[in-house]
Amino acid sequence: MQDQLTALLAKAAAELPALKTRPEFEAAKARYVGPHGELTALMKQMGALSKEQKPAAGKLINETKTQLATQLDAALARIADAELAAQLGPALDPTLPSPDAGPGTRHPLTLVREEMCRILRKVGFTVADGPEVETEFYCFDALSTPADHPARDEKDTFYFPASARFGNVAQKVPGEKYLLRTHTSSVQIRTMLKGEPPIRIVSPGRVYRRDTSDATHSANFHQLECLYVDKGVTVRDLKALLDHIFVSLLGQDTKTRFRPHYFGYTEPSFEVDLGAAHLPKVKKPWIEIGGCGMVDPTVFEAVGYDPEVWTGYAFGMGLERLAMLLYGIDDIRYFYQNDLRFLKQFA
Ligand code: DAH
């Protein structure tokens, strides 16, 4: 009987680890320990043994039973683990790089900014920069914007408290108020004070206004400013440049239109409308895109240029508005939400 029990355990040890499913396991278990199982059959042989043989045989059988039970438990645990693993899907290695982290895309505002700068560089402009924390001098005074002008109102402009400190973010002018620039026109002043004419700069950047956020407004948006100072500059040059950049950016069918307006820093001044009905989602024949004009003599005086010698034009426009036109985006808030479903559409 001992040989038979040893053979039975050896057989189980070979067979049980290969079982894959619960039904296979149940069938195997029945073959060993079920009512008609092999171990059960051996136990039944006990009856035929002599009184002396019985205790030793009983011990052997019990040991075998325990070992077999251990083997069966191990097989069942292995099958249960495999079932769970199958439910969980493929094995996960949290140390591997994410398969989703492919190359990023550039933000639509970056694309428009870069394209505008590329177009302007080709016709001789260089990119200039200025701080977002400005003083009233650069943002308003030097641009001939009088103290009572509505743009300077606390309702429209973010002013810093007098106690705020900024290191040397902006040039310190005693007693002057600091603010978040409301337009990139402040860079005109900084550039002219730093250098000598002729000047030809483009300055894209972030600006701030106390606007309530909705589909077309944001308290924080982007502008692109251009300034050209030379001898004998005329409105025709201004119009020609604007036509050129918008045709380059938005296509041959793009038109521009000037409407007389008032800005303290240009004379004459105009608002610029774009006719771009060929673009997707553009329903109106004309869309306001920015302001422009011929640099006012008082601005030249503020930076120490002789207005009898120098002439120039300047313009500023919203980059969000341009990107919305170019890509058919109908809500400015998409630009700032960092939703990958939006961002991934831009190359
Ligand atoms: N700064 C104006 C604005 O934010 C836009 C503008 C108008 C810029 C006329 C200019 C200009 O350079 O000459 O609405």
Side-chain angles (χ1 to χ4, degrees):
M1 181 182 273
Q2 179 160 11
D3 290 348
Q4 282 176 304
L5 288 169
T6 312
L8 184 75
L9 277 178
K11 198 170 122 190
E15 184 190 2
L16 296 179
L19 299 177
K20 293 219 163 52
T21 64
R22 255 171 218 268
E24 278 175 25
F25 170 79
E26 295 300 340
K29 184 176 173 186
R31 276 202 304 283
Y32 289 100
V33 294
H36 304 291
E38 294 182 40
L39 184 65
T40 321
L42 288 172
M43 283 161 77
K44 281 181 190 155
Q45 291 179 17
M46 285 270 290
L49 296 176
S50 67
K51 228 180 173 178
E52 292 74 35
Q53 288 174 312
K54 269 186 186 168
K59 196 174 166 226
L60 263 179
I61 285 192
N62 275 338
E63 279 169 14
T64 309
K65 222 173 145 178
T66 313
Q67 286 185 39
L68 199 56
T70 309
Q71 286 192 27
L72 285 167
D73 285 350
L76 183 61
R78 195 178 40 74
I79 289 169
D81 281 353
E83 280 174 357
L84 185 64
Q87 274 173 25
L88 291 174
L92 181 80
D93 179 350
T95 64
L96 287 176
S98 159
D100 298 334
T105 51
R106 272 180 301 168
H107 195 280
L109 290 175
T110 305
L111 292 174
V112 172
R113 186 192 72 218
E114 286 180 351
E115 181 60 10
M116 288 293 274
C117 288
R118 195 187 65 82
I119 293 166
L120 282 154
R121 271 204 202 98
K122 270 189 165 172
V123 289
F125 285 76
T126 46
V127 177
D129 203 9
E132 292 169 28
V133 174
E134 265 299 3
T135 63
E136 285 189 301
F137 173 76
Y138 293 102
C139 204
F140 298 129
D141 294 332
L143 287 162
S144 305
T145 306
D148 59 355
H149 192 279
R152 298 180 69 147
D153 202 277
E154 301 258 352
K155 287 205 302 294
D156 298 304
T157 303
F158 291 107
Y159 287 94
F160 287 95
S163 57
R165 298 177 66 90
F166 313 100
N168 48 14
V169 168
Q171 195 173 304
K172 183 80 189 139
V173 181
E176 247 216 331
K177 273 200 207 157
Y178 284 82
L179 47 85
L180 289 173
R181 67 178 179 189
T182 56
H183 55 185
T184 43
S185 302
S186 51
V187 184
Q188 291 186 30
I189 303 303
R190 288 192 171 268
T191 310
M192 286 193 280
L193 281 175
K194 250 189 294 188
E196 291 294 321
I199 283 174
R200 214 181 277 222
I201 54 125
V202 50
S203 186
R206 204 181 269 273
V207 300
Y208 303 81
R209 290 187 194 171
R210 278 183 182 266
D211 272 332
T212 308
S213 169
D214 64 20
T216 53
H217 293 86
S218 163
N220 171 210
F221 60 102
H222 298 77
Q223 283 190 335
L224 180 122
E225 188 87 13
C226 275
L227 171 70
Y228 177 36
V229 181
D230 207 333
K231 290 179 180 154
V233 182
T234 67
V235 177
R236 282 177 58 166
D237 300 321
L238 169 60
K239 179 78 162 60
L241 184 81
L242 285 168
D243 283 346
H244 170 71
I245 60 182
F246 289 126
V247 163
S248 305
L249 183 77
L250 303 171
Q252 206 59 45
D253 297 333
T254 314
K255 306 259 178 297
T256 61
R257 178 174 83 171
F258 281 9
R259 272 181 297 109
H261 197 71
Y262 174 80
F263 297 106
Y265 31 102
T266 41
E267 179 58 37
S269 302
F270 309 97
E271 279 190 323
V272 186
D273 288 346
L274 263 186
H278 60 288
L279 292 176
K281 297 205 182 173
V282 173
K283 292 182 199 82
K284 289 192 252 167
W286 295 103
I287 292 152
E288 190 194 319
I289 194 75
C292 69
M294 304 306 291
V295 179
D296 196 285
T298 57
V299 174
F300 283 143
E301 278 161 13
V303 297
Y305 290 4
D306 183 349
E308 296 300 321
V309 178
W310 299 107
T311 50
Y313 62 66
F315 59 85
M317 64 188 74
L319 276 180
E320 276 82 350
R321 178 78 59 93
L322 266 185
M324 287 166 91
L325 283 172
L326 183 59
Y327 298 117
I329 298 166
D330 54 16
D331 193 319
I332 198 171
R333 290 167 292 198
Y334 285 126
F335 290 120
Y336 319 117
Q337 285 163 345
N338 283 339
D339 185 332
L340 285 181
R341 290 169 301 179
F342 172 76
L343 295 176
K344 275 188 174 165
Q345 299 175 59
F346 307 93

